[in-house]
Amino acid sequence: MIRTQNGFTLIEAIVTVAIIAIIASIAVNYYEEQKRRGYRQEAISALTEMSVRQEREFSKLGHYTNDMTKLYRATTTTNGKYNLSATYGTSPDVYLLTATATASQTADTDCARFTLNQLGERLAYDDSNAVSTRNCWSR
């Protein structure tokens, strides 16, 4: 009589679990990176909106403002992942808008802070406050 084996051996089960664990770890890392990129886009959108409102203020008053109530609905992005600020330069026709990562977004060490000025110059800084080598402003 010939016996057939049913089920898996222990080695087969361990290999299967290991493969699933590897795939899951890759998927989780990819998912986290996509979330960080989405939060970056919200910060970029907020800075762009603030810039448009700055230009509106300048056309009405002849100078920019650092009054956040006129520039944006809050001092953080909607998801709370970036703090927003506006500062004057040395003259009333210069401004700098900033979005700084906070909360869990600080794990995004390559794109920790974004700036936008009255000339439309967009910069991003890493967590060591150096200009980021990644193109953080891209979609």
Side-chain angles (χ1 to χ4, degrees):
M1 175 184 245
I2 300 176
R3 285 186 133 182
T4 60
Q5 179 182 355
N6 293 329
F8 296 100
T9 66
L10 182 58
I11 299 291
E12 290 170 333
I14 290 172
V15 168
T16 302
V17 168
I19 290 171
I20 290 171
I22 291 168
I23 291 171
S25 70
I26 292 169
V28 166
N29 287 338
Y30 181 76
Y31 173 72
E32 290 298 321
E33 177 61 25
Q34 293 307 308
K35 279 187 5 182
R36 282 191 290 271
R37 289 180 67 198
Y39 295 142
R40 284 182 210 156
Q41 290 307 312
E42 188 167 356
I44 290 167
S45 294
L47 290 178
T48 303
E49 181 180 334
M50 290 168 64
S51 177
V52 168
R53 291 182 180 188
Q54 279 288 34
E55 296 305 327
R56 190 176 305 141
E57 285 293 311
F58 189 83
S59 68
K60 287 192 305 188
L61 305 173
H63 60 82
Y64 296 114
T65 184
N66 60 359
D67 182 356
M68 287 298 292
T69 61
K70 292 181 180 180
L71 297 178
Y72 200 69
R73 57 190 165 274
T75 57
T76 63
T77 54
T78 304
N79 57 36
K81 301 296 183 181
Y82 285 88
N83 288 329
L84 303 171
S85 65
T87 55
Y88 277 112
T90 54
S91 66
D93 59 346
V94 176
Y95 69 82
L96 181 67
L97 306 174
T98 305
T100 305
T102 186
S104 64
Q105 192 64 10
T106 57
D108 188 6
T109 57
D110 291 329
C111 305
R113 185 168 54 95
F114 295 90
T115 62
L116 176 62
N117 67 17
Q118 78 286 350
L119 299 174
E121 295 171 333
R122 305 176 308 175
L123 291 174
Y125 298 87
D126 62 19
D127 61 341
S128 67
N129 215 23
V131 174
S132 180
T133 57
R134 292 191 57 197
N135 192 1
C136 299
W137 281 85
S138 67
R139 300 216 184 267

